[in-house]
Amino acid sequence: MKLIIFSTVYVLLLACLVSCNSKELTRDRAFDVIEKYKYGKLLIDTVRADITVDNPYIAARYKELTLEKDGFWKLDTNVKAKQNIFFTEKSNPYLIDGVKKRREGSYIRGYTETSYQRLAIGIVEADEVTGIELEPGDRKATVELKYKFTATPFIKTNPRVEAAFLTPKIIKISMSLYDDGWRIEDVSYPKSLF
């Protein structure tokens, strides 16, 4: 009977010691913190581009792409048309907000109002934590995160962005230990990312 009580107390003490050490930052724990805070918009999740929809010359340039043939949009290169790019139902998952207007130009040349549609041209997802550098005291850490990039069909509209994302890059994330666990303090993106 004493042996059962002693082993039960021993197991409880061991469980307490293991749980007290749960503040240690491992790669799995860092990845969980990153995934949790991703939805707070601290980390990028979509790469976006603005497409001018009322310019016949831009519509003519996009005729070379296969997006019209694939059914994502219809292009009208008529100079007198009020809108030259029309998005189809197939493109709805990639549209962000609706068509908006903005003023472009300068004081000297004059201003014109153009309409544009914001599109998701790629999706950035956390892939794996590649390293953790703990500062002395183990209360602050720099986490290196490799991401994966998934292109949408609209990546063809901006080949420069596609080339920038083809090679995986590392995002550095600063974390601090609080009483309730690890939190993201700052995110440092590579200069060539945007």
Side-chain angles (χ1 to χ4, degrees):
M1 183 72 167
K2 287 184 181 181
L3 184 62
I4 294 174
I5 293 173
F6 178 73
S7 59
T8 307
V9 170
Y10 179 74
V11 168
L12 288 174
L13 282 173
L14 188 62
C16 181
L17 286 175
V18 169
S19 68
C20 290
N21 197 16
S22 67
K23 300 287 183 179
E24 181 183 345
L25 186 62
T26 62
R27 289 182 183 207
D28 291 334
R29 174 155 303 162
F31 192 82
D32 290 344
V33 170
I34 290 166
E35 283 294 303
K36 178 180 162 189
Y37 282 96
K38 179 177 87 168
Y39 300 104
K41 300 300 177 209
L42 287 174
L43 297 176
I44 56 174
D45 55 358
T46 58
V47 179
R48 301 163 186 198
D50 293 343
I51 303 291
T52 303
V53 296
D54 59 357
N55 187 325
Y57 304 107
I58 290 175
R61 190 176 74 201
Y62 287 150
K63 281 272 191 192
E64 301 169 4
L65 304 177
T66 61
L67 291 168
E68 186 173 28
K69 203 180 325 176
D70 296 340
F72 288 101
W73 61 22
K74 295 189 183 314
L75 302 174
D76 180 7
T77 55
N78 184 355
V79 176
K80 299 203 186 260
K82 288 192 181 234
Q83 186 171 341
N84 302 96
I85 299 175
F86 302 93
F87 295 94
T88 64
E89 290 288 321
K90 194 173 181 180
S91 63
N92 280 348
Y94 311 109
L95 302 180
I96 300 169
D97 302 327
V99 175
K100 295 188 176 184
K101 294 190 178 288
R102 71 172 154 223
R103 237 170 84 163
E104 293 180 345
S106 68
Y107 178 73
I108 296 169
R109 291 184 320 166
Y111 294 99
T112 59
E113 194 169 86
T114 60
S115 300
Y116 70 96
Q117 171 67 56
R118 185 161 288 162
L119 301 167
I121 61 173
I123 299 164
V124 178
E125 296 174 290
D127 190 19
E128 69 175 316
V129 173
T130 58
I132 298 173
E133 181 184 346
L134 287 170
E135 292 182 11
D138 295 343
R139 308 260 329 143
K140 292 189 179 278
T142 301
V143 176
E144 292 183 347
L145 174 75
K146 188 171 88 173
Y147 64 84
K148 61 183 173 184
F149 178 74
T150 308
T152 70
F154 289 102
I155 192 72
K156 298 172 187 176
T157 62
N158 197 336
R160 183 181 62 85
V161 171
E162 185 177 25
F165 280 99
L166 283 178
T167 57
K169 294 188 177 50
I170 302 294
I171 298 172
K172 293 196 178 214
I173 302 168
S174 299
M175 294 181 158
S176 294
L177 180 61
Y178 287 84
D179 61 339
D180 62 345
W182 289 91
R183 294 185 198 169
I184 293 177
E185 295 292 324
D186 187 35
V187 179
S188 176
Y189 299 105
K191 290 185 174 128
S192 63
L193 192 58
F194 299 104

